[in-house]
Amino acid sequence: ASEDMEEAISLVDAVEGWTVCATESLSVRRPGSRCFLGSGQVKQLAERIARLRTMKRLIRQAGQSEKSEELSAAGDDWIAFVNTANLKPSQQRMLQDAWDVNVYD
């Protein structure tokens, strides 16, 4: 599992302009479920993504000059990768809706 995570991180890092902000390894009991993950896992990750986005905005805002009051939306694109070969398009859409980010597998 650790090697899979390292490989996934390497693939993301290879894309210009992309950075891995956080990783999470979860066990999936029933990968055929509606969202692929359990509802508690989906909610937990939604909260984590929201916290990471808020922290990034606050850090960026604190680093801006006093003359600039408006935060740029650029650089606020978030993507989630689900490292599996079993993610169905309907599950992908459900996760995108729950997390408010594009989801790739």
Side-chain angles (χ1 to χ4, degrees), residues 10-11 37 48 81 87 92 95:
S10 294
L11 290 171
L37 300 170
R48 185 167 185 201
F81 286 93
L87 194 64
Q92 182 181 14
L95 292 174

Side-chain angles (χ1 to χ4, degrees), residues 34 44 64 84:
R34 210 173 92 162
Q44 172 189 0
Q64 288 187 340
T84 182

Side-chain angles (χ1 to χ4, degrees), residues 56-72:
K56 175 114 176 161
R57 284 187 193 119
L58 290 174
I59 289 168
R60 189 174 34 196
Q61 188 174 19
Q64 288 187 340
S65 68
E66 294 178 14
K67 295 178 184 177
S68 175
E69 295 181 11
E70 188 173 317
L71 285 175
S72 169

